[in-house]
Amino acid sequence: MGTILFSTRYNTNGQSIFEMWGNSLSQSKEYGGSAHATGTYAPNSEKPVKAALVALVRNDDLYGLRKTIRELEDRWNRKYNYPYIFLNDKPFSEKFMSGVRDLTNARVEFGTLEPDTWGYPEWIDQNKAKHERETSTYIKGRSESYRFMCRFQSGFVFKHPLLQDLEYYWRIEPDVHYFCDIDYDPFVYMKKNNLKYGWNIAPSEYEPTVRTLWNSTQEFMNKNPDMIPSNSMIDWVRDSNNQYTRCHFWSNFEIVDLSFYRSKEYQAYFDFLDHAGGFFYERWGDAPVHSIAVSMFLPKSQVHYFDDIGYYHPAMSHCPDGSKERGKCVCDPKEGWANGFTCAKRWRQIS
């Protein structure tokens, strides 16, 4: 019979190298801050924060969504049992609903979109919109439904009846990965620290999709200077020449105090953009819209970088430093390179 031997090195104080790694990590970063849970939250109990995990999905997303839920449950929600809310522009099938419920003890709700929140508003020239789709060469450029989705996520998801009583939401997507055990309640952490917006990955937007978004934003700011606080983080999206940096928070992961999206400032900005038509005449995404609004209306102190949560969405990922050797994440920082994005660096540099 063979024997497996582990050799552990100790320092002069009797600490193993693994203990030293752990202590060093906790001293350099308080991952997640001080909002730790005090035991398992019962599945149907009233949570300390009115919050939910929310996704806009379709019936054919079932397998990808099941993978996401399985990881979220294993990494976090089996301890906290926050409810899930799933929205669809068409009714969910029984197969979809049972396939989701099989994976969690938490409450699960399903809803369909209200007709006026999915499709073209009356002021859009649909022939002009069609021409943009048919001549575009950028990703998702030829998709009509993708534009409906971006408009819905920008201005309507938080108005859906199933979300009307929520204080916070955590947006989730099919086919993503969560690399880390999460041993605290991010909703409680945000509420205790008066945080409005939480993010994880910050790339730059593809210019052909947002050709006039910054021009429209400048026009809005010029018409509404009283809405822009002096301590906003607008310089994250605006460079020294007053040009758009195209930095944005990748909104497939966002944890948000919904009072921000419901605010008169955000609503005014969305309505202004909606009437400008760029969701259809270009391909304005909800990520740059959310991000410019966050930068325009909030101070940096109310925006949180969840750099302790390792996350992968197809094409990009974030892996916390040191996760190959220590801590509660298992991923390779060299493969999770989003932390090195120019926009993530710019975030760390602005005051």
Side-chain angles (χ1 to χ4, degrees):
M1 181 179 293
T3 303
I4 300 175
L5 299 176
F6 292 93
S7 175
T8 303
R9 299 180 64 183
Y10 294 83
N11 68 6
T12 55
N13 294 321
Q15 283 184 302
S16 74
I17 191 168
F18 302 110
E19 292 173 324
M20 288 187 286
W21 271 339
N23 290 343
S24 174
L25 187 63
S26 65
Q27 289 166 9
S28 63
K29 290 185 179 180
E30 291 185 9
Y31 276 154
S34 59
H36 294 278
T38 56
T40 302
Y41 295 12
N44 293 309
S45 66
E46 184 175 344
K47 305 298 184 288
V49 178
K50 293 180 180 178
L53 301 140
V54 179
L56 175 64
V57 287
R58 287 178 164 161
N59 287 306
D60 58 8
D61 290 319
L62 177 58
Y63 177 53
L65 188 65
R66 278 174 55 85
K67 290 189 289 183
T68 294
I69 294 171
R70 179 72 278 152
E71 289 196 22
L72 268 173
E73 288 292 310
D74 291 345
R75 293 299 200 178
W76 180 68
N77 203 39
R78 62 185 168 80
K79 297 175 286 187
Y80 295 91
N81 290 295
Y82 274 98
Y84 293 88
I85 296 173
F86 299 111
L87 304 176
N88 191 346
D89 64 311
K90 295 179 172 60
F92 282 109
S93 67
E94 288 296 327
K95 176 182 177 182
F96 183 97
M97 292 188 288
S98 62
V100 165
R101 289 190 175 113
D102 286 345
L103 296 172
T104 180
N105 292 321
R107 188 176 78 250
V108 183
E109 296 183 275
F110 302 92
T112 53
L113 307 187
E114 297 170 303
D116 62 341
T117 67
W118 187 265
Y120 293 104
E122 61 184 9
W123 55 84
I124 292 299
D125 180 339
Q126 294 189 36
N127 288 326
K128 181 178 178 180
K130 181 179 180 182
H131 177 75
E132 173 71 13
R133 293 196 308 276
E134 291 178 345
T135 58
S136 68
T137 57
Y138 47 80
I139 187 170
K140 303 289 187 182
R142 304 208 167 200
S143 172
E144 183 179 54
S145 63
Y146 189 83
R147 288 174 167 83
F148 293 162
M149 181 277 292
C150 290
R151 179 174 180 261
F152 175 80
Q153 295 281 25
S154 295
F156 298 103
V157 61
F158 48 90
K159 295 180 179 178
H160 192 278
L162 290 180
L163 278 71
Q164 64 181 359
D165 293 329
L166 295 186
E167 297 175 90
Y168 293 80
Y169 93 149
W170 180 340
R171 179 170 161 181
I172 64 173
E173 298 270 338
D175 295 305
V176 300
H177 297 296
Y178 296 88
F179 299 134
C180 312
D181 283 349
I182 305 169
D183 292 330
Y184 65 99
D185 184 336
F187 297 124
V188 168
Y189 177 71
M190 290 194 64
K191 188 169 185 176
K192 283 188 173 180
N193 290 281
N194 192 31
L195 297 167
K196 299 296 184 182
Y197 191 88
W199 62 281
N200 182 265
I201 293 177
S204 58
E205 184 58 291
Y206 187 47
E207 192 276 336
T209 68
V210 289
R211 300 185 299 273
T212 64
L213 176 58
W214 184 242
N215 292 337
S216 294
T217 297
Q218 288 180 304
E219 185 179 352
F220 172 83
M221 289 192 291
N222 289 336
K223 290 182 177 181
N224 299 279
D226 57 314
M227 288 189 177
I228 318 301
S230 60
N231 63 343
S232 76
M233 46 173 281
I234 191 66
D235 287 338
W236 189 61
V237 295
R238 179 184 66 187
D239 66 18
S240 59
N241 295 315
N242 202 34
Q243 298 300 304
Y244 183 29
T245 65
R246 292 185 282 114
C247 287
H248 68 286
F249 305 121
W250 224 23
S251 57
N252 49 71
F253 176 105
E254 62 177 15
I255 304 176
V256 187
D257 178 344
L258 294 177
S259 68
F260 172 66
Y261 288 156
R262 295 169 181 145
S263 68
K264 67 176 184 179
E265 292 84 3
Y266 183 87
Q267 286 293 294
Y269 180 55
F270 170 74
D271 289 343
F272 188 87
L273 296 183
D274 201 21
H275 281 81
F279 292 108
F280 302 104
Y281 303 149
E282 296 174 23
R283 201 223 64 195
W284 294 352
D286 54 281
V289 170
H290 288 179
S291 303
I292 292 175
V294 167
S295 301
M296 191 163 41
F297 300 131
L298 296 178
K300 186 179 179 182
S301 61
Q302 290 189 302
V303 182
H304 183 65
Y305 178 16
F306 280 101
D307 62 342
D308 58 313
I309 298 179
Y311 173 73
Y312 166 86
H313 184 282
M316 299 184 201
S317 66
H318 166 67
C319 179
D321 293 343
S323 293
K324 286 181 71 175
E325 299 90 7
R326 61 186 186 272
K328 295 189 176 183
C329 306
V330 179
C331 52
D332 185 347
K334 291 181 179 179
E335 296 178 358
W337 31 263
N339 193 43
F341 280 166
T342 299
C343 292
K345 293 177 180 177
R346 186 176 183 86
W347 160 265
R348 290 190 286 269
Q349 293 166 356
I350 65 170
S351 58

